[in-house]
């Protein structure tokens, strides 16, 4: 079963702390790549989220985006009274020891580090409620994403199997016609060699002549290429029929299948068989284009 590398999923969640939205999208890529965009409040969870996404797929380029909108109560500013009091005591001590004149604007202390923080900061942004919401929302988004990739993969697999049947029909045709073409080519070679020997000198030993021609014929025999092509076809279907078809394995098999059909095209001299080989190469190219979309 194939799964497409392209997909999209989105999920949302709300709570007393605010609302959360998680989006994940992916496109084709030779390897596995994950990028994460997070708001500052949950930036510390980047590594964990990235690992969770990596576990959900094998190859492709995925992007995870998280939107967090905090409730007004979570955004409100809070004054840390203990820190403020420390600043006041120190400033009063300095004013007394240095005998500084004038009045001091105490509100200016609000800009000092640690005096003012948000409600979320005071509760620690790793609050379990937000973290649990982030995990569950990510799981929902991943479920939608994978469902879309499975659906796309079903359509992809349907096209792949269609092109695979066409390729197999080409191999069947080559295998059926090759014995006759081979015998005709061999007889033609015997006639040409015999005619050449007669014109150029005494006829060589028939046994030795046939032996040499048999050796030559092995160089353009395509029985092994046909056999290997069928073996690759069987393996291709085994991977497709598996629970999770591997795009990388199928891509490798297509390279091997293309190599065999190229060898067949280079060995046969018959114009009709060469054209069948060209059509088979075209089928493989269409297969390759589809498999490049498969995870």
């Amino acid at each position: 079963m194939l799964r497409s590398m392209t997909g999209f999923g989105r999920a949302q969640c709300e709570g007393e702390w605010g609302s959360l939205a998680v989006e994940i999208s992916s496109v084709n890529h030779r390897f596995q790549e994950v990028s994460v965009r997070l708001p500052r409040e949950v930036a510390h969870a980047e590594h964990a989220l990235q690992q969770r996404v990596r576990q959900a797929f094998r190859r492709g380029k995925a992007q995870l985006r998280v939107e967090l909108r905090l409730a007004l109560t979570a955004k409100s500013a809070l004054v840390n009274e203990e820190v403020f009091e420390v600043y006041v005591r120190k400033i009063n001590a300095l004013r007394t020891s240095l005998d500084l004149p004038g009045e001091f604007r105490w509100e200016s202390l609000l800009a000092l580090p640690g005096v003012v923080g948000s409600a979320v900061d005071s509760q620690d942004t790793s609050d379990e409620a937000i973290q649990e919401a982030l995990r569950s929302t990510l799981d929902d988004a991943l479920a939608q994403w994978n469902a879309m990739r499975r659906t796309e993969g079903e359509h992809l697999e349907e096209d792949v199997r269609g092109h695979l049947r066409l390729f197999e029909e080409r191999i069947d045709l080559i295998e059926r016609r090759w014995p006759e073409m081979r015998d005709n080519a061999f007889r033609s070679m015997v006639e040409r060699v015999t005619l050449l020997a007669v014109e150029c000198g005494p006829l060589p030993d028939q046994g030795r002549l046939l032996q040499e021609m048999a050796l030559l014929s092995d160089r353009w025999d395509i029985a092994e290429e046909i056999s290997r092509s069928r073996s690759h076809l069987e393996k291709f279907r085994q991977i497709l029929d598996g629970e999770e078809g591997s795009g990388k394995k199928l891509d490798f098999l297509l390279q091997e299948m293309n190599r065999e059909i190229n060898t067949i095209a280079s060995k046969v001299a018959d114009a009709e068989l060469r054209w069948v080989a060209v059509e088979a190469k075209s089928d493989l190219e269409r297969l390759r284009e589809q498999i490049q979309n498969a995870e």
Side-chain angles (χ1 to χ4, degrees), residues 167 171 174 221-233 252-268 277-278 280-281 284:
F167 177 77
I171 296 299
I174 291 174
D221 185 73
I222 60 173
E224 290 186 9
E225 284 76 14
I226 292 174
S227 177
R228 284 194 292 266
S229 293
R230 291 201 176 280
S231 176
H232 294 330
L233 275 166
F252 173 77
L253 271 177
L254 284 173
Q255 294 179 37
E256 296 300 309
M257 292 162 73
N258 195 64
R259 184 176 293 111
E260 300 300 340
I261 203 66
N262 280 336
T263 304
I264 289 175
S266 66
K267 282 186 174 183
V268 297
V278 169
K281 290 173 65 175
L284 291 179

Side-chain angles (χ1 to χ4, degrees), residues 166-167 169-175 177 261 264-265 268 270-283:
L166 288 176
F167 177 77
E169 289 174 4
R170 318 286 189 204
I171 296 299
D172 290 341
L173 183 58
I174 291 174
E175 187 174 34
R177 296 187 178 181
I261 203 66
I264 289 175
V268 297
D270 181 77
E272 185 177 357
L273 284 188
R274 282 194 177 212
W275 180 247
V276 175
V278 169
E279 291 179 326
K281 290 173 65 175
S282 179
D283 294 330

Side-chain angles (χ1 to χ4, degrees), residues 59 236 246-256 288 291-292:
R59 70 169 182 163
F236 200 103
S246 172
K248 274 190 174 181
K249 290 181 181 179
L250 295 177
D251 190 47
F252 173 77
L253 271 177
L254 284 173
Q255 294 179 37
E256 296 300 309
R288 188 185 66 83
I291 293 302
Q292 285 182 341

